Amino acid sequence: QVQLVQSGSELKKPGASVIVSCKASGYTFTDNGMTWVRQAPGQGPEWMGWINTNTGNPTYAQGFTGRFVFSLDTSVSTAYLQISSLKAEDTAVYYCARFNRYLDYWGQGTLVTVSS
Amino acid sequence: EIVLTQSPDTLSLSPGERATLSCRASQSITSNYLDWYQQKPGQAPRLLIYGASSRATGIPDRFSGSGSGTDFTLTISRLEPEDFAVYYCQQFGSSPCTFGQGTKLEIK
C-alpha cells in the first residue's frame, strides 16, 4: 500500500534551518510528483509547490521562494523540504502529498515550531 | 490565482441528515480539476472527491460531488458520526493550486 512517512517534530530557534523528509513506499517514486503543503495553526492548507520526481525540477508557489528548497533522493524514494532563516511565522505543520493532479496520499505531517 | 470561497463557514447538522457544502471559484476551473478533502483534528487531509465528481478509493458512496465551471457542491447523503470534520475544496486547473477556507461540519 502507498505510504508517505515524514520525519518527526522539530523545535528550532529563529534564524536556524530545518529539513523535513518524506519517505515514499508502495509505488514507483518517479511515477508521481510530490507536493508540499503548509498548514499554520488553526488555518487551512496552503500549497507550497511541487517537485517533479523524474527531473528534480521544483516549482515554488508565490511566498515560498528563496528560503524554501525542495529536493529528492530517488535512490531511497525520499523527498525533502529545507527551510532556512526560520521565522516565528514558519511555525506550522508541513505535509508532503503525492501529486496526481489531485493529492491522493498524504504524509502524517511534521510540526515545525520556531521559538526563541 | 483562482480564489475558492466555501459556504457556509460552519454547518450544524444531526447524524442521519443530509449535508450540502458549496465551493465557488473566482474563475472557471479548467477540466473540472476541483477536489474535496476531509480533515479531522490532528490528521492529514484525506482525498474524498477528485475531478469534481469521482470518488477516491475507499470513500463511501454517501459522499458525492457535482458541479462545473465555477460552482461545485459536496453532498453527504446521510451523515454518520465520523463525518463531522472540516472540509476543503481545492483546485489545480491552473497554477497555483489553491484551497478554499474550509467548512466546519459540526454536530447539532
Side-chain angles (χ1 to χ4, degrees):
Chain A
Q1 74 284 19
V2 174
Q3 278 194 304
L4 300 177
V5 178
Q6 299 184 222
S7 49
S9 297
E10 301 271 7
L11 173 60
K12 295 291 184 181
K13 295 190 184 303
S17 296
V18 69
I19 296 176
V20 177
S21 65
C22 170
K23 183 170 177 59
S25 61
Y27 73 101
T28 301
F29 184 65
T30 51
D31 278 355
N32 299 90
M34 192 69 75
T35 290
W36 288 95
V37 174
R38 181 172 77 177
Q39 191 166 29
Q43 303 298 309
E46 185 179 15
W47 184 71
M48 300 173 65
W50 73 288
I51 184 165
N52 184 316
T53 54
N54 269 305
T55 65
N57 183 49
T59 299
Y60 300 99
Q62 199 167 13
F64 295 100
T65 56
R67 297 189 300 116
F68 300 84
V69 176
F70 307 150
S71 61
L72 304 169
D73 184 344
T74 55
S75 68
V76 289
S77 300
T78 301
Y80 300 94
L81 164 66
Q82 180 173 1
I83 312 172
S84 58
S85 303
L86 282 162
K87 307 175 183 180
E89 52 264 41
D90 293 323
T91 294
V93 176
Y94 292 83
Y95 294 101
C96 60
R98 192 174 79 163
F99 176 45
N100 219 351
R101 267 292 183 182
Y102 44 82
L103 307 179
D104 56 356
Y105 290 93
W106 294 63
Q108 81 276 19
T110 297
L111 173 62
V112 175
T113 303
V114 184
S115 174
S116 54
Chain B
E1 76 177 41
I2 294 179
V3 176
L4 299 179
T5 303
Q6 294 185 238
S7 61
D9 288 334
T10 303
L11 185 56
S12 300
L13 294 171
S14 300
E17 291 192 292
R18 180 184 185 91
T20 303
L21 286 67
S22 172
C23 177
R24 178 162 290 178
S26 60
Q27 54 189 282
S28 186
I29 295 176
T30 305
S31 302
N32 287 339
Y33 283 131
L34 188 286
D35 313 313
W36 290 93
Y37 298 83
Q38 177 194 68
Q39 188 176 32
K40 297 180 180 179
Q43 296 184 15
R46 177 174 74 144
L47 177 68
L48 298 175
I49 301 288
Y50 63 93
S53 61
S54 298
R55 266 189 304 277
T57 304
I59 301 303
D61 61 7
R62 65 180 181 274
F63 290 90
S64 63
S66 63
S68 64
T70 60
D71 288 290
F72 299 86
T73 300
L74 174 69
T75 301
I76 311 171
S77 58
R78 284 181 56 86
L79 285 165
E80 297 287 343
E82 62 268 25
D83 298 337
F84 293 90
V86 180
Y87 292 83
Y88 296 98
C89 57
Q90 174 241 323
Q91 70 80 29
F92 210 167
S94 63
S95 189
C97 164
T98 50
F99 288 87
Q101 85 280 11
T103 290
K104 181 179 182 180
L105 179 55
E106 64 177 23
I107 299 177
K108 188 173 182 180

